Amino acid sequence: MAELSKEVLLTAEQLAKRIEELAEEISRDYQGRTLTAVCILKGSFVTLADLIRKLTCPVSCEFIRVSLSDENDTPREVQYTTPFEIAGKDILLIEDILDTGVTLNYLINQLSESGPRSLRVLVLLDKSEARKVEIEADYTGFKIPNRFVVGYGLDFNERYRELPYITWMKS
Ligand code: IMP
Ligand code: MG
């Protein structure tokens, strides 16, 4: 049975420091523009909440969800919590973790069709060993080993999103 590790992979302090660095970089890159930060639910809500409070450029927040097909884990459709304008906007997709890359690859293709002015991706965690689709984020929080991690928004069967740090499940 999967069990929570007692060790910590990334502390709350490490996460806060890195989010602040990313927010500084993004604020510089988007100077003079209004950013549309798009939170990919559910895992990214903590990253989004912490990031936007450190930005110095104007930002609007949107929320989307990708539903996966029942048979396998391939994306089926993008669900918008409320529809929002993509055409002509500076879109920054916020994802908790880049694993195989299938989800982000699908989303980038979908959103590109609506003609954003720019489309970039921020991922908090990158498990590059697990990649099946060639894809790199524009902003990456941490590269991590290929383990199933939880905390800071990330879940295992809807548990552990509330942890202020990131740890992993022991199988
Ligand atoms: P990808 O399409 O394989 O890149 O899947 C990324 C999605 O899988 C993320 O948005 C997460 O919801 C989930 N995921 C992948 N790895 C982990 C993990 O280690 N912990 C929690 N969720 C994960
Ligand atoms: Mg999940």
Side-chain angles (χ1 to χ4, degrees):
M1 231 205 37
E3 203 187 310
L4 195 65
S5 167
K6 290 192 173 63
E7 291 169 67
V8 172
L9 182 65
L10 295 165
T11 65
E13 292 74 24
Q14 284 175 300
L15 289 159
K17 181 168 176 280
R18 187 69 187 120
I19 290 284
E20 196 160 351
E21 288 169 359
L22 289 170
E24 272 173 30
E25 193 182 338
I26 292 164
S27 299
R28 267 199 309 275
D29 292 352
Y30 288 87
Q31 221 173 35
R33 300 193 193 178
T34 299
L35 184 61
T36 304
V38 179
C39 176
I40 305 168
L41 292 170
K42 299 179 187 171
S44 309
F45 75 100
V46 178
T47 301
L48 176 90
D50 282 350
L51 183 83
I52 57 166
R53 285 178 291 172
K54 297 287 176 191
L55 291 174
T56 57
C57 58
V59 59
S60 66
C61 300
E62 302 294 349
F63 297 84
I64 59 176
R65 201 176 171 139
V66 185
S67 69
L68 303 175
S69 70
D70 297 335
E71 311 84 63
N72 48 41
D73 277 351
T74 50
R76 194 179 45 182
E77 60 168 339
V78 185
Q79 296 166 333
Y80 297 87
T81 55
T82 45
F84 62 95
E85 202 157 315
I86 296 169
K89 299 290 183 187
D90 289 304
I91 306 283
L92 179 63
L93 280 175
I94 315 268
E95 175 68 308
D96 52 359
I97 186 162
L98 181 48
D99 189 26
T100 62
V102 171
T103 310
L104 265 179
N105 186 54
Y106 172 81
L107 269 173
I108 290 167
N109 289 335
Q110 288 290 310
L111 268 67
S112 297
E113 284 178 16
S114 302
R117 171 165 153 181
S118 67
L119 178 56
R120 287 188 183 178
V121 175
L122 177 150
V123 295
L124 179 68
L125 307 172
D126 182 358
K127 284 202 269 194
S128 48
E129 285 166 59
R131 203 79 86 250
K132 287 185 190 154
V133 183
E134 274 291 319
I135 175 169
E136 287 299 325
D138 300 282
Y139 306 98
T140 300
F142 300 90
K143 300 242 182 208
I144 62 161
N146 196 5
R147 292 188 192 159
F148 196 88
V149 292
V150 295
Y152 199 74
L154 289 127
D155 75 304
F156 171 69
N157 290 346
E158 293 304 323
R159 288 289 322 277
Y160 311 123
R161 293 193 198 274
E162 74 281 15
L163 297 177
Y165 52 86
I166 289 176
T167 180
W168 66 91
M169 301 304 298
K170 293 194 290 182
S171 47

